[in-house]
Each structure stands twice: as C-alpha cells, then as structure tokens.
Amino acid sequence: MILLILLFNALKFIGLEISPPGFYADESYGATQVICLWQTGADFFGNQFPLFSISRPGEPIFSPTYLYGQLLWTSVFGHSIAAFRSYAAIITTLTILFLYLYAKNLLNPRAALYIAFVASVMPWSWQFSRIAWDPPLAPLFLILGLWISNFKKGWWIAGIPLGLAIYSYPPLRIID
C-alpha cells in the first residue's frame, strides 16, 4: 500500500504542462502577479510587496500564502506552466503526508495508511493538485494545525498554521 500511495502522489507531477490543457485565466492571473513580484517586488498594479493582490477588478484575490509561497517555489523551479502547477502538487502531497501523521497519532499506523491511500486516490487530491491556484493551501494548513495541536509540548504553535489557513483561501476568511 505504501508503494501505491507513493505512486499516486508521484503521478501528480507528471504532465502538468499538458493536463489540464491550457493555462486558464485564474492560473495566468496568479502567475502574472508572481512573476511581477519576482521581477520588481511589486504586483501587476504596482503595489510593493502586497499582502493581498487582485488579478483584476471583480476577479480572484490572491492571498499572501499563495503569492509568496509560489514566489519562493518558482524562484527555484522557474516560471513554466509545470513549475506553477507543481506548487499545488507539492502542497497536496504534503497535505496527505500530514494527514497520515495526524491519523497515526490519533489511531494507529495501519489506519493512517488507509487514510493516506484514500486521500491519495480521491478526486480532489488529483484535480486540485494540477491547477496553479490557492485552494490546496487551506487543507494543508488546517491538517498541519491539527497535527501540531496533538503535541504534548508546543501545541500552542498550532495557531500559526491555523491562522495561515484563514489567509490561504477566501472562504476560510473570518468576516465580521
């Protein structure tokens, strides 16, 4: 089962430039903002190191966890379609790893393997990991926060990833 989990997660990185076909609008808006930040330190609209960046009026808002995480990732791997999409693939793979660790702490290693296997073959795991956008960040930070909250010492650090989860995906933001 471990080999299948590894295989399914490795397949997330294959053919990213061709599947899904094209580079749709939200992906290109985010890539534009990240490339502008990389080149000038400002987003497309000239805002120096913005906390949030809009793609265009009425369109998606890119969070700091996406912008600066993607900025670091593409600084290492370049600005190709595959590089932008592989950021989502690594985030999804890390989510499954921390889900395994969290389940292992709560249940047992065998149950954790089954959970990791099911997470690896679920449609969200495949679909969300092949598009250059920010939704995969929310589950990563939520699972990471839950995993850290089970520590005997340092459990209070769980607030950091849980706080980052709020900024990682618009539906998770707390609105008064």
Side-chain angles (χ1 to χ4, degrees), residues 46-120:
N47 302 312
Q48 289 291 320
F49 299 105
L51 186 57
F52 292 94
S53 185
I54 62 169
S55 55
R56 66 179 184 156
E59 290 294 325
I61 297 173
F62 297 103
S63 66
T65 52
Y66 177 77
L67 285 173
Y68 296 105
Q70 188 72 276
L71 177 65
L72 290 172
W73 183 262
T74 56
S75 293
V76 174
F77 296 102
H79 295 119
S80 67
I81 290 174
F84 278 102
R85 288 181 174 170
S86 67
Y87 179 65
I90 195 68
I91 293 298
T92 304
T93 303
L94 287 172
T95 301
I96 293 168
L97 171 66
F98 286 111
L99 180 61
Y100 166 80
L101 294 172
Y102 177 62
K104 185 178 166 191
N105 286 345
L106 253 74
L107 304 168
N108 59 59
R110 184 180 171 123
L113 272 178
Y114 283 120
I115 290 168
F117 175 75
V118 170
S120 297

